[in-house]
Structures are given as C-alpha cells and as structure tokens.
Amino acid sequence: MERKNAWKAYGMEDMAAVEELSSLYRRFLDVGKTERECIAEAVNTAEAAGFRDLSEMIRGRTRLKAGDQVYLSYMGKSAAFFRIGTEPPEKGLNIIGAHVDSPRLDIKQVPCYEEAGNVYLDTHYYGGIKKYQWFACPLALHGIIVRKDGTAAAIEIGEKEEDPVFVITDLLPHLGKERNEQKVKDFFDAEKMDLLIGNRPVEEKEAKQHVLDLLFDKYRIQEEDFLSAELEIVPAGRARECGVDRSMILAYGQDDRSCAFAALTALLGNTDGKADSDPMQDREETAAVGGGFSRTACCLLVDKEETGSNGATGMKSRFFENAVAEILALSGGQLPGNAGEQIPFELRLRRTLMNSRMLSADVSAAYDPMFEKYYEKKNSAYLGNGLVFNKYSGSGGKTGANDANPEYMAQLRRIMEEQHVTFQTAELGAVDQGGGGTIAYIMAKFGMDVIDCGLGVLSMHAPWEVTSKADLYEAVKGYRAFYGFCR
Ligand code: MN
Ligand code: MN
C-alpha cells in the first residue's frame, strides 16, 4: 500500500491556501475555547456567509427552497447548519457532524475556599484527561455565571496579554520520594486539583473575601452565583504554529474543533481558506463539475461528546431529529409518485434520516514513534498523510463500534480520488490497547450510513494537541467533496 503525503502534491497555490486556512483555523481556536464560544463563533461566521436563523423561518412559516442557507442553534451549545439542495430532503441529507466540547476542568457549584492563606476554586474534571498534564501550567477561566435574576456575566480571564492566569500547583521533586513509588492512577487525587486564584489579604479582609470583592466589582456576581454558573478551566494561550517548518499547529481543543472548523468551512464554501469567497459562486462551480448540492448538506456541531453525548445539547438528544423535522416541514410537498396518497409526516422523517449519509467528523490518533508499541503501523494514521477514515472504532473486539459498510466506504474512496483529496485509513491504535467512541453509533441508529472521518492528532486530549496544516486542508477539501457528491 502506497502512503501518500499531502505536502508533496502542493504547488504554490495550494501552499498559499494551506497557510490562509491555517490562520483562520488558529483564530477559530482562539475565540472558541468552550462549546458556547465555538457555537457563537460558528453562528457569526455562518450569518456573515448569508445563513439565516431557522427559528425565525419556523415562526414565519417561510418556505425553504433550493439554495437556502439556514441554521438552528440549540441552547447556545450545539447547532445545525443546512444548505438546502435541489432534491427533496426525503432523498436524504449529506451530514457532517463534529463535537465542540473538549476535555477540561469544570468549576464546582460551591467552589471557593481559602486554605493556608491561598484562595482556590474547587474543580471537577470533564472528559478523558491525563491529570498530570494539568499541573503547573498557565490556565484560563472561561464561561458564564447566571445571576438569580436571569442576567448573565460572561467570564474570560487569562487569555489577554495583560490578564492574570491561574495554576494548579504540583509537588516539588525534592519531596517526591514516596510519590515516585506510587502508580500513576493513585498518584493524582482529582479532589486536590484545585485552581489557585488568590493569596492577598487586604487590611482586615481575608484573601478569599478580597477575591470575591474583586469579582463583584468586575462582574457584579456574588459567591452564591457560582450555584448557577458554567465555568471551564482551559489552558491559557493561543494556538501556535509548530515546527521550524511551521507545518503543524499546537493548540488546545483540536479534538474536535479541527473537524468542526473543517466541516463548517467546507459548508460555507471556503475551501481555499478565503473568508470572503462567495458561497454562491462556489455553488455554481461545484454544480458545474457535476455534483452540485443536489442533496441537502448539513454541518452539525454538538456538545457533550467527551462525556458520552448525554444531555439536551449532546448527540443523544432529539435536537437534531427535531431540526430535520423542521426542515422537512418547511420544505413542502412530499415526493412525487405516491399516487396522491398522504404519507404520514413521521414516516417521511424516518425516511429522510434513513436515506441520509454521514461523516462523523472526529479526530483519530496519529502514529507516534515515541509510543510505537501502542499502534499498528499498517493501520495507523500519519500526520501529513491527509484525511483519516476510521471504518470502525470501539474497543476490545470492536465493541461499541458502528463499523461502516464497505459499499459506503467504496463510494467515499471514489469521491475522494475524483476530487483529488489525500486520504488514509486507520484504526485508533493497536488491537486491545484501548479504544474510543464518537457520535457515529448514535446517528447510525437512524439506519443511515455513517463513518468516522477526521484529522490525525498527536497528544490527543492533552492541553496542547498537534495537528498538521496539510491534514486540515485535505479535511476541508474532503468534507466539501462529501457534501457535494455523496449519494
Ligand atoms: Mn473527539
Ligand atoms: Mn475526545
């Protein structure tokens, strides 16, 4: 099997597009360090590209027609973006779904305490973190605090150059004798991973009270307001280019915001990375090469994947199904050829979902020669070798995997080759070394073809993850090809 490296095929034009896309991507990562921030940014970008709020069209009972671009945001933490095709929705949608939540530490409801003169916020980790990676590095606080009267304060501390940052302190090596003998799983006490946020008493005021007063002055919030807050601790700092050759990106949250960004960018038509490119012109170009958006295309961004996709904004919620029902209802007439028979709406919805195709856009583990025994070389993703297809995920005998059909994979291979997308196939590590899941199996429940497909990542789930600029470029190209050409 020949393994193609994406970089080797690039001419000057591609290189310029790779760089432009990469800088837009880094900006997206910088403004979207929580699921809320990501959805807000995605909605802004879509609106700037001409997408309209579907909820307004639902209220106004506005009919949808081919070429319409609409979105539905849900609780500010998940959203679906649709480009209506020329075919009726019942023929099926081409869906690319990614998640916008990332592993992190959350702040507890009653978090603030003072111990030995230090002020802390108590935390509860979110998703699969390696605890040791979060000690002794600069951290930022993002989120919202909703006051009792329903008004909210948006919090972001630690990202601007002049902002203070926070830290979880570690034990000095000089006193590490006993701990060096312990197993890693016993080593870190999640209850002792609290965020240091202050140390200064002022006159008769203790340090904790001083910190709370500062928060009140700035945000008009009181200690009780932490009860109704959603505060997340993330690594402080911006996405950076990585390597002497600047071929990679080092940033927080690339699982799965790399795929989220690529899926949205592909839908908006900016495959060349140009924010100002005209999506309608792209449509004509796409149509001209024979694909067009005959099928309705959908970019789906969801929350809560890292904790099992539960909750109203996770993939297991009915949010997406409801959104498709709304699209169907506003799209008017049922398929012709039913001899005047009224097909129940519920059945039409089931058919729409079943006839859909999906890329579960999520990252894969890139082969890491520093940890070679955990991978199987032939079936690993390599940084720079393009978009990764994971036919199945799961662990211990594919358990939990949706395992895509070969008929579907064959179609995707054909599309990728015809559209000159560099792609590779992989498993998430060697057999019996662990495993993982995505949202693929949840969407597969509707009876639609689904396959996992995304970027390879080094140091996945670490505070700073590594991706390749070339893989991002191929992902946008590949996702675009899928929206336009999958049947
Ligand atoms: Mn993921
Ligand atoms: Mn993950």
Side-chain angles (χ1 to χ4, degrees):
M1 274 285 295
E2 187 206 352
R3 291 206 164 268
K4 279 192 194 143
N5 186 290
W7 289 108
K8 292 185 178 169
Y10 293 162
M12 295 272 280
E13 217 169 280
D14 280 317
M15 285 303 297
V18 165
E19 290 305 332
E20 201 164 356
L21 186 67
S22 146
S23 76
L24 283 173
Y25 172 52
R26 294 200 305 278
R27 191 193 157 274
F28 179 79
L29 292 174
D30 290 341
V31 297
K33 294 183 90 166
T34 68
E35 55 279 25
R36 272 179 200 273
E37 292 171 359
C38 276
I39 293 298
E41 178 60 16
V43 165
N44 284 342
T45 311
E47 281 186 342
F51 278 66
R52 294 167 62 196
D53 189 342
L54 186 66
S55 56
E56 282 166 22
M57 304 179 83
I58 293 167
R59 271 197 296 280
R61 295 191 184 159
T62 315
R63 269 286 143 91
L64 289 171
K65 54 183 192 314
D68 278 351
Q69 305 182 108
V70 293
Y71 72 87
L72 197 60
S73 160
Y74 198 59
M75 296 179 173
K77 298 202 280 189
S78 55
F81 303 83
F82 298 90
R83 181 178 278 173
I84 308 301
T86 51
E87 287 180 3
E90 280 156 275
K91 293 271 184 84
L93 277 52
N94 288 348
I95 305 161
I96 304 184
H99 65 94
V100 290
D101 62 316
S102 293
R104 61 177 189 253
L105 302 170
D106 284 345
I107 300 291
K108 287 189 184 183
Q109 277 193 292
V110 181
C112 196
Y113 68 97
E114 181 172 334
E115 185 65 49
N118 298 338
V119 188
Y120 295 96
L121 289 179
D122 206 337
T123 71
H124 194 143
Y125 67 94
Y126 174 97
I129 63 163
K130 287 170 105 173
K131 299 188 185 87
Y132 70 85
Q133 294 172 335
W134 291 77
F135 289 83
C137 60
L139 299 168
L141 193 61
H142 289 240
I144 63 163
I145 300 183
V146 185
R147 304 177 193 92
K148 209 160 50 177
D149 65 5
T151 58
I155 312 276
E156 190 207 282
I157 311 171
E159 300 294 354
K160 292 190 203 75
E161 201 59 47
E162 66 274 20
D163 276 359
V165 292
F166 310 103
V167 71
I168 296 166
T169 53
D170 202 357
L171 185 68
L172 60 169
H174 314 68
L175 301 180
K177 196 161 172 272
E178 181 198 299
R179 299 189 86 199
N180 282 343
E181 309 301 319
Q182 286 178 309
K183 285 190 171 158
V184 173
K185 72 173 174 57
D186 308 319
F187 200 106
F188 301 99
D189 181 354
E191 274 302 351
K192 293 285 180 195
M193 289 181 71
D194 294 343
L195 195 70
L196 182 61
I197 62 160
N199 176 253
R200 176 183 168 197
V202 176
E203 291 155 12
E204 68 279 13
K205 222 188 277 175
E206 294 302 322
K208 175 186 164 185
Q209 193 53 52
H210 182 221
V211 164
L212 288 172
D213 287 353
L214 290 172
L215 289 174
F216 181 81
D217 290 344
K218 179 134 194 224
Y219 301 106
R220 301 284 142 197
I221 50 159
Q222 293 170 322
E223 189 174 6
E224 283 71 24
D225 292 327
F226 281 113
L227 291 175
S228 46
E230 187 178 84
L231 294 171
E232 307 179 5
I233 302 165
V234 299
R238 302 164 80 90
R240 306 287 295 267
E241 293 178 290
C242 178
V244 173
D245 57 7
R246 298 174 185 261
S247 59
M248 298 165 284
I249 290 163
L250 181 72
Y252 167 68
Q254 299 198 75
D255 174 8
D256 183 32
R257 293 169 192 148
S258 56
C259 297
F261 172 81
L264 185 68
T265 304
L267 187 72
L268 303 189
N270 323 331
T271 44
D272 54 2
K274 287 191 184 114
D276 58 357
S277 72
D278 177 3
M280 291 314 288
Q281 192 190 328
D282 281 341
R283 280 181 63 78
E284 282 156 25
E285 279 170 22
T286 312
V289 288
F293 280 88
S294 49
R295 283 160 71 91
T296 293
C298 170
C299 167
L300 173 63
L301 304 181
V302 294
D303 179 26
K304 303 236 182 333
E305 192 274 345
E306 296 293 0
T307 51
S309 297
N310 298 299
T313 52
M315 193 67 255
K316 286 180 187 164
S317 147
R318 285 276 173 101
F319 153 70
F320 179 67
E321 219 176 321
N322 294 347
V324 173
E326 300 286 4
I327 293 286
L328 196 57
L330 292 179
S331 295
Q334 58 191 43
L335 287 177
N338 289 323
E341 183 196 355
Q342 273 298 323
I343 309 285
F345 184 81
E346 175 70 15
L347 181 56
R348 294 178 57 204
L349 176 62
R350 298 289 133 217
R351 286 176 178 170
T352 303
L353 290 163
M354 194 182 67
N355 291 334
S356 293
R357 306 273 180 271
M358 189 200 190
L359 296 183
S360 161
D362 210 340
V363 294
S364 189
Y367 179 80
D368 190 337
M370 298 297 110
F371 301 97
E372 59 181 332
K373 73 171 187 179
Y374 303 101
Y375 297 84
E376 191 264 288
K377 276 188 163 178
K378 300 189 300 310
N379 290 287
S380 287
Y382 293 82
L383 219 60
N385 282 11
L387 185 57
V388 185
F389 285 88
N390 284 97
K391 186 170 174 294
Y392 45 85
S393 58
S395 59
K398 298 188 176 180
T399 301
N402 104 95
D403 210 343
N405 288 317
E407 292 88 346
Y408 185 42
M409 187 63 221
Q411 183 192 174
L412 294 169
R413 275 174 68 193
R414 192 170 63 242
I415 293 170
M416 295 303 140
E417 276 171 23
E418 282 168 4
Q419 299 303 310
H420 310 289
V421 178
T422 305
F423 73 95
Q424 51 186 330
T425 62
E427 293 193 16
L428 190 84
V431 179
D432 276 345
Q433 285 297 347
T438 62
I439 60 171
Y441 75 98
I442 306 164
M443 293 292 271
K445 285 182 186 175
F446 294 118
M448 70 176 80
D449 270 316
V450 185
I451 190 166
D452 283 304
C453 172
L455 278 79
V457 177
L458 289 172
S459 304
M460 193 198 294
H461 278 211
W464 299 93
E465 302 171 310
V466 182
T467 58
S468 155
K469 288 181 181 177
D471 294 340
L472 178 71
Y473 183 59
E474 296 304 319
V476 173
K477 277 166 60 186
Y479 290 168
R480 179 112 189 276
F482 170 83
Y483 285 134
F485 296 95
C486 191
R487 303 296 308 167

